Amino acid sequence: MSLTGSYSCANVSAPTTLSITSATACGVLTVTAVTGNILVLLAVIIDPNRNLRSPFNFLVANLAAADLIVGCFALPMSVEAYTLEALGRWKLTPRVHARRVLYFISCTASLFSLAALTVDRFVAITYPIKYRIKLNSRRTALISLGLWIISILLPFLYFKVGYLKYQFVFANTAVVSTFAVLCLTYAKVFQNFKKQIKNWDSLHGGPDSENHAKMRTMKWEKKVTKTFLIMLVLFISCFFPSLLMIYIISFCGTCDCIFIHWARDFNYVLIMANSSINPFVFAWRLQPYRKAFTAILTCRGPIRKLRSLSEQMTISLNSLGPHSQNRGNGAELSGVEVE
């Protein structure tokens, strides 16, 4: 069997049980992907505890946005498609093409976001001073804009080469490149950590407060980097079995069509599942995200944000000084008496 761009068993109906199972799985993943990734985005945007404003966390929000596309569009449309398939009413319509394009856009953006996070971790550990000077919010925004432009344009090759060919090339690229990045990053970053630990004795020559600050920074960067490496491992754990399924779908000429349909759905659901995993990794590994999630879910985050804005407004009004119209008449601004 050659890689033709479409499934060889496209004209053979999938088992109803499989379609219902796949629809249910996609429904569950919709809830987890939307809930988890919205929490990540709100945690970075609202930042209730004021400790998530950094280039790394902005790139994490970028990854969450890509995964949120999966949860809001690709997965619900997949539930619809599998339900129609179970009812024997599935057809290759423009909605199917739209779902596939959104699927590829989100997957491509996720892959590029992981690549950007890899560079972030590498520079943060290897060149910490340059990292703090050069990687600011503006440059992070430009990086995010660039990767989204590429992620939106590239998947339209699907219309040129077909679904299966594009998926085959993308999955191979994703698995091979991510695995290479994982190995190289792990080796380089932790080699650098070992050097920092060996040089730790030299830090004791300075004040204790400075030593403790440096030690806390090192521990935090190490924890963040390990969290990111866990994300990469989970990414490969989802994409590698999926890649094997794509090889089976593409080249197994003696496989039964029922098996091909199972391989097709297992491949798709496994890739979609990756979009639901990362928020739970952050909550498990990083305390600032746990606290931010708790603050948002208990509505303390938005209230704290409004209180912060109110305080800033009060400070601005008080800074009017003698030019304030209320000065000298005992008036109060936002509950703070103007002297």
mmCIF file of all heavy atoms in Angstrom, residues 263-288:
data_model
loop_
_atom_site.group_PDB
_atom_site.id
_atom_site.type_symbol
_atom_site.label_atom_id
_atom_site.label_comp_id
_atom_site.label_asym_id
_atom_site.label_seq_id
_atom_site.Cartn_x
_atom_site.Cartn_y
_atom_site.Cartn_z
ATOM 1 N N ALA A 263 -7.019 2.023 14.727
ATOM 2 C CA ALA A 263 -5.730 2.722 14.700
ATOM 3 C C ALA A 263 -5.923 4.207 14.391
ATOM 4 O O ALA A 263 -5.265 5.076 14.978
ATOM 5 C CB ALA A 263 -4.807 2.077 13.660
ATOM 6 N N ARG A 264 -6.837 4.501 13.469
ATOM 7 C CA ARG A 264 -7.122 5.893 13.107
ATOM 8 C C ARG A 264 -7.618 6.687 14.304
ATOM 9 O O ARG A 264 -7.117 7.787 14.596
ATOM 10 C CB ARG A 264 -8.184 5.912 11.999
ATOM 11 C CG ARG A 264 -8.621 7.294 11.553
ATOM 12 C CD ARG A 264 -10.000 7.271 10.927
ATOM 13 N NE ARG A 264 -11.044 6.897 11.897
ATOM 14 C CZ ARG A 264 -12.338 6.887 11.616
ATOM 15 N NH1 ARG A 264 -12.754 7.182 10.384
ATOM 16 N NH2 ARG A 264 -13.222 6.551 12.537
ATOM 17 N N ASP A 265 -8.593 6.140 15.032
ATOM 18 C CA ASP A 265 -9.168 6.869 16.155
ATOM 19 C C ASP A 265 -8.210 6.948 17.335
ATOM 20 O O ASP A 265 -8.137 7.980 18.022
ATOM 21 C CB ASP A 265 -10.478 6.200 16.589
ATOM 22 C CG ASP A 265 -11.598 6.443 15.584
ATOM 23 O OD1 ASP A 265 -11.283 6.920 14.474
ATOM 24 O OD2 ASP A 265 -12.766 6.146 15.906
ATOM 25 N N PHE A 266 -7.479 5.871 17.580
ATOM 26 C CA PHE A 266 -6.503 5.877 18.672
ATOM 27 C C PHE A 266 -5.438 6.935 18.408
ATOM 28 O O PHE A 266 -5.031 7.667 19.321
ATOM 29 C CB PHE A 266 -5.859 4.493 18.800
ATOM 30 C CG PHE A 266 -4.855 4.397 19.919
ATOM 31 C CD1 PHE A 266 -5.265 4.355 21.240
ATOM 32 C CD2 PHE A 266 -3.494 4.359 19.650
ATOM 33 C CE1 PHE A 266 -4.341 4.275 22.280
ATOM 34 C CE2 PHE A 266 -2.563 4.272 20.664
ATOM 35 C CZ PHE A 266 -2.994 4.235 21.985
ATOM 36 N N ASN A 267 -4.997 7.021 17.167
ATOM 37 C CA ASN A 267 -4.003 8.013 16.784
ATOM 38 C C ASN A 267 -4.524 9.422 17.044
ATOM 39 O O ASN A 267 -3.844 10.261 17.649
ATOM 40 C CB ASN A 267 -3.669 7.824 15.287
ATOM 41 C CG ASN A 267 -3.251 9.104 14.601
ATOM 42 O OD1 ASN A 267 -2.352 9.794 15.043
ATOM 43 N ND2 ASN A 267 -3.919 9.431 13.512
ATOM 44 N N TYR A 268 -5.746 9.697 16.617
ATOM 45 C CA TYR A 268 -6.312 11.045 16.738
ATOM 46 C C TYR A 268 -6.564 11.423 18.196
ATOM 47 O O TYR A 268 -6.177 12.519 18.643
ATOM 48 C CB TYR A 268 -7.615 11.108 15.936
ATOM 49 C CG TYR A 268 -8.231 12.482 15.912
ATOM 50 C CD1 TYR A 268 -7.747 13.464 15.061
ATOM 51 C CD2 TYR A 268 -9.307 12.791 16.743
ATOM 52 C CE1 TYR A 268 -8.314 14.728 15.029
ATOM 53 C CE2 TYR A 268 -9.885 14.050 16.719
ATOM 54 C CZ TYR A 268 -9.392 15.015 15.857
ATOM 55 O OH TYR A 268 -9.955 16.267 15.834
ATOM 56 N N VAL A 269 -7.196 10.542 18.951
ATOM 57 C CA VAL A 269 -7.531 10.848 20.342
ATOM 58 C C VAL A 269 -6.273 11.034 21.183
ATOM 59 O O VAL A 269 -6.214 11.905 22.067
ATOM 60 C CB VAL A 269 -8.426 9.733 20.935
ATOM 61 C CG1 VAL A 269 -8.604 9.918 22.441
ATOM 62 C CG2 VAL A 269 -9.785 9.714 20.241
ATOM 63 N N LEU A 270 -5.244 10.250 20.897
ATOM 64 C CA LEU A 270 -4.003 10.356 21.663
ATOM 65 C C LEU A 270 -3.337 11.709 21.455
ATOM 66 O O LEU A 270 -2.844 12.327 22.409
ATOM 67 C CB LEU A 270 -3.047 9.231 21.254
ATOM 68 C CG LEU A 270 -1.899 8.905 22.220
ATOM 69 C CD1 LEU A 270 -2.447 8.534 23.595
ATOM 70 C CD2 LEU A 270 -1.064 7.757 21.670
ATOM 71 N N ILE A 271 -3.326 12.195 20.210
ATOM 72 C CA ILE A 271 -2.763 13.516 19.944
ATOM 73 C C ILE A 271 -3.603 14.595 20.620
ATOM 74 O O ILE A 271 -3.073 15.542 21.213
ATOM 75 C CB ILE A 271 -2.668 13.763 18.428
ATOM 76 C CG1 ILE A 271 -1.613 12.841 17.812
ATOM 77 C CG2 ILE A 271 -2.313 15.222 18.143
ATOM 78 C CD1 ILE A 271 -1.478 12.989 16.310
ATOM 79 N N MET A 272 -4.921 14.471 20.559
ATOM 80 C CA MET A 272 -5.801 15.437 21.202
ATOM 81 C C MET A 272 -5.613 15.445 22.723
ATOM 82 O O MET A 272 -5.740 16.482 23.372
ATOM 83 C CB MET A 272 -7.264 15.125 20.873
ATOM 84 C CG MET A 272 -7.649 15.315 19.420
ATOM 85 S SD MET A 272 -7.632 17.053 18.879
ATOM 86 C CE MET A 272 -6.001 17.159 18.120
ATOM 87 N N ALA A 273 -5.326 14.277 23.285
ATOM 88 C CA ALA A 273 -5.162 14.176 24.739
ATOM 89 C C ALA A 273 -3.996 15.020 25.230
ATOM 90 O O ALA A 273 -4.015 15.521 26.366
ATOM 91 C CB ALA A 273 -4.967 12.713 25.144
ATOM 92 N N ASN A 274 -2.982 15.187 24.387
ATOM 93 C CA ASN A 274 -1.825 15.978 24.795
ATOM 94 C C ASN A 274 -2.206 17.416 25.128
ATOM 95 O O ASN A 274 -1.561 18.059 25.956
ATOM 96 C CB ASN A 274 -0.775 15.949 23.685
ATOM 97 C CG ASN A 274 0.513 16.642 24.088
ATOM 98 O OD1 ASN A 274 0.811 17.737 23.627
ATOM 99 N ND2 ASN A 274 1.275 16.002 24.959
ATOM 100 N N SER A 275 -3.260 17.927 24.505
ATOM 101 C CA SER A 275 -3.694 19.307 24.765
ATOM 102 C C SER A 275 -4.323 19.470 26.141
ATOM 103 O O SER A 275 -4.502 20.600 26.603
ATOM 104 C CB SER A 275 -4.706 19.739 23.688
ATOM 105 O OG SER A 275 -4.120 19.717 22.406
ATOM 106 N N SER A 276 -4.692 18.364 26.788
ATOM 107 C CA SER A 276 -5.323 18.426 28.106
ATOM 108 C C SER A 276 -4.340 18.194 29.245
ATOM 109 O O SER A 276 -4.706 18.377 30.417
ATOM 110 C CB SER A 276 -6.447 17.383 28.196
ATOM 111 O OG SER A 276 -7.392 17.567 27.175
ATOM 112 N N ILE A 277 -3.121 17.810 28.916
ATOM 113 C CA ILE A 277 -2.192 17.351 29.950
ATOM 114 C C ILE A 277 -1.452 18.490 30.632
ATOM 115 O O ILE A 277 -1.340 18.536 31.860
ATOM 116 C CB ILE A 277 -1.176 16.356 29.342
ATOM 117 C CG1 ILE A 277 -1.891 15.077 28.912
ATOM 118 C CG2 ILE A 277 -0.073 16.044 30.337
ATOM 119 C CD1 ILE A 277 -0.984 14.100 28.176
ATOM 120 N N ASN A 278 -0.941 19.441 29.844
ATOM 121 C CA ASN A 278 -0.004 20.437 30.372
ATOM 122 C C ASN A 278 -0.517 21.232 31.574
ATOM 123 O O ASN A 278 0.245 21.444 32.526
ATOM 124 C CB ASN A 278 0.417 21.390 29.247
ATOM 125 C CG ASN A 278 1.239 20.694 28.188
ATOM 126 O OD1 ASN A 278 1.962 19.743 28.470
ATOM 127 N ND2 ASN A 278 1.148 21.158 26.956
ATOM 128 N N PRO A 279 -1.778 21.712 31.580
ATOM 129 C CA PRO A 279 -2.242 22.463 32.759
ATOM 130 C C PRO A 279 -2.128 21.675 34.056
ATOM 131 O O PRO A 279 -1.809 22.235 35.113
ATOM 132 C CB PRO A 279 -3.707 22.772 32.426
ATOM 133 C CG PRO A 279 -3.766 22.773 30.937
ATOM 134 C CD PRO A 279 -2.802 21.698 30.516
ATOM 135 N N PHE A 280 -2.371 20.366 33.992
ATOM 136 C CA PHE A 280 -2.283 19.544 35.199
ATOM 137 C C PHE A 280 -0.826 19.325 35.621
ATOM 138 O O PHE A 280 -0.535 19.183 36.810
ATOM 139 C CB PHE A 280 -2.990 18.216 34.955
ATOM 140 C CG PHE A 280 -4.448 18.370 34.634
ATOM 141 C CD1 PHE A 280 -4.899 18.328 33.326
ATOM 142 C CD2 PHE A 280 -5.372 18.597 35.640
ATOM 143 C CE1 PHE A 280 -6.248 18.493 33.022
ATOM 144 C CE2 PHE A 280 -6.722 18.756 35.356
ATOM 145 C CZ PHE A 280 -7.157 18.713 34.046
ATOM 146 N N VAL A 281 0.086 19.348 34.643
ATOM 147 C CA VAL A 281 1.512 19.272 34.966
ATOM 148 C C VAL A 281 1.941 20.522 35.721
ATOM 149 O O VAL A 281 2.670 20.453 36.714
ATOM 150 C CB VAL A 281 2.357 19.090 33.687
ATOM 151 C CG1 VAL A 281 3.843 19.134 34.015
ATOM 152 C CG2 VAL A 281 2.016 17.782 32.994
ATOM 153 N N PHE A 282 1.486 21.695 35.258
ATOM 154 C CA PHE A 282 1.829 22.942 35.943
ATOM 155 C C PHE A 282 1.280 22.946 37.365
ATOM 156 O O PHE A 282 1.971 23.354 38.303
ATOM 157 C CB PHE A 282 1.254 24.140 35.178
ATOM 158 C CG PHE A 282 1.840 24.309 33.799
ATOM 159 C CD1 PHE A 282 1.034 24.615 32.719
ATOM 160 C CD2 PHE A 282 3.195 24.139 33.588
ATOM 161 C CE1 PHE A 282 1.568 24.770 31.453
ATOM 162 C CE2 PHE A 282 3.734 24.283 32.324
ATOM 163 C CZ PHE A 282 2.925 24.600 31.252
ATOM 164 N N ALA A 283 0.030 22.509 37.520
ATOM 165 C CA ALA A 283 -0.587 22.488 38.849
ATOM 166 C C ALA A 283 0.132 21.517 39.774
ATOM 167 O O ALA A 283 0.243 21.756 40.980
ATOM 168 C CB ALA A 283 -2.066 22.118 38.735
ATOM 169 N N TRP A 284 0.623 20.428 39.221
ATOM 170 C CA TRP A 284 1.305 19.407 40.019
ATOM 171 C C TRP A 284 2.711 19.852 40.408
ATOM 172 O O TRP A 284 3.133 19.681 41.557
ATOM 173 C CB TRP A 284 1.357 18.104 39.209
ATOM 174 C CG TRP A 284 2.328 17.075 39.741
ATOM 175 C CD1 TRP A 284 2.493 16.676 41.029
ATOM 176 C CD2 TRP A 284 3.282 16.329 38.976
ATOM 177 N NE1 TRP A 284 3.485 15.722 41.121
ATOM 178 C CE2 TRP A 284 3.987 15.491 39.877
ATOM 179 C CE3 TRP A 284 3.600 16.279 37.613
ATOM 180 C CZ2 TRP A 284 4.997 14.631 39.457
ATOM 181 C CZ3 TRP A 284 4.597 15.417 37.194
ATOM 182 C CH2 TRP A 284 5.282 14.608 38.113
ATOM 183 N N ARG A 285 3.426 20.492 39.484
ATOM 184 C CA ARG A 285 4.843 20.760 39.696
ATOM 185 C C ARG A 285 5.150 22.166 40.227
ATOM 186 O O ARG A 285 6.115 22.338 40.966
ATOM 187 C CB ARG A 285 5.592 20.578 38.370
ATOM 188 C CG ARG A 285 5.670 19.151 37.880
ATOM 189 C CD ARG A 285 6.746 18.386 38.609
ATOM 190 N NE ARG A 285 8.043 19.042 38.470
ATOM 191 C CZ ARG A 285 9.146 18.659 39.111
ATOM 192 N NH1 ARG A 285 9.096 17.634 39.930
ATOM 193 N NH2 ARG A 285 10.277 19.301 38.940
ATOM 194 N N LEU A 286 4.357 23.172 39.828
ATOM 195 C CA LEU A 286 4.724 24.556 40.112
ATOM 196 C C LEU A 286 3.716 25.199 41.065
ATOM 197 O O LEU A 286 2.547 25.376 40.721
ATOM 198 C CB LEU A 286 4.798 25.357 38.808
ATOM 199 C CG LEU A 286 5.791 24.814 37.760
ATOM 200 C CD1 LEU A 286 5.727 25.650 36.497
ATOM 201 C CD2 LEU A 286 7.205 24.784 38.317
ATOM 202 N N GLN A 287 4.194 25.574 42.243
ATOM 203 C CA GLN A 287 3.324 26.140 43.266
ATOM 204 C C GLN A 287 2.666 27.457 42.837
ATOM 205 O O GLN A 287 1.485 27.680 43.149
ATOM 206 C CB GLN A 287 4.099 26.350 44.562
ATOM 207 C CG GLN A 287 3.224 26.750 45.744
ATOM 208 C CD GLN A 287 4.037 26.929 47.001
ATOM 209 O OE1 GLN A 287 5.105 27.542 46.975
ATOM 210 N NE2 GLN A 287 3.533 26.397 48.109
ATOM 211 N N PRO A 288 3.358 28.363 42.119
ATOM 212 C CA PRO A 288 2.685 29.604 41.695
ATOM 213 C C PRO A 288 1.434 29.352 40.858
ATOM 214 O O PRO A 288 0.442 30.082 40.990
ATOM 215 C CB PRO A 288 3.763 30.324 40.872
ATOM 216 C CG PRO A 288 5.047 29.841 41.451
ATOM 217 C CD PRO A 288 4.793 28.406 41.800
#
